[in-house]
Amino acid sequence: MVLATQSKPIELSPRRYRKGNYMFCPVKADRNYKCPECGCLVQPGEVGFTRFKIIHDLVTEPIGDVLHACCVEARE
C-alpha cells in the first residue's frame, strides 16, 4: 500500500512552544513582520508566533518579532 504525502497545511495549535531560551506564543500579526527564520513577510491578520526570551524560568521578555507558524512547528 502506497501512502500519499501529507498536503494539508499545518494547523495552528493553541499551545506554546518552548525551545531553548525562547517561548513562542500564537498570535495574529497586527502589522508586517519579517520572519527571522525564513525571511518571508508575515502579513497583518496572518497567524504566527511571537517570540519571548526566557529570563528566569517563568519570566519572559518580548523579542518583538513574529515567526511563521510553519517555521516554529516544523522542528518540534
Side-chain angles (χ1 to χ4, degrees):
M1 183 171 137
V2 178
L3 292 173
T5 56
Q6 270 190 331
S7 59
K8 70 171 191 164
I10 296 171
E11 291 176 20
L12 179 79
S13 61
R15 71 194 183 97
R16 297 173 172 192
Y17 291 85
R18 181 171 178 167
K19 295 185 175 177
N21 297 322
Y22 296 100
M23 178 81 78
F24 297 89
C25 305
V27 69
K28 268 196 172 181
D30 55 355
R31 59 181 175 84
N32 281 343
Y33 292 91
K34 189 174 182 181
C35 176
E37 289 288 321
C38 66
C40 295
L41 209 61
V42 181
Q43 308 281 358
E46 202 177 326
V47 174
F49 281 84
T50 50
R51 178 166 54 171
F52 296 86
K53 186 162 179 62
I54 300 167
I55 308 300
H56 301 297
D57 199 43
L58 295 171
V59 182
T60 57
E61 180 181 275
I63 300 295
D65 55 14
V66 174
L67 289 79
H68 279 112
C70 55
C71 290
V72 176
E73 295 193 336
R75 287 193 305 279
E76 251 308 280

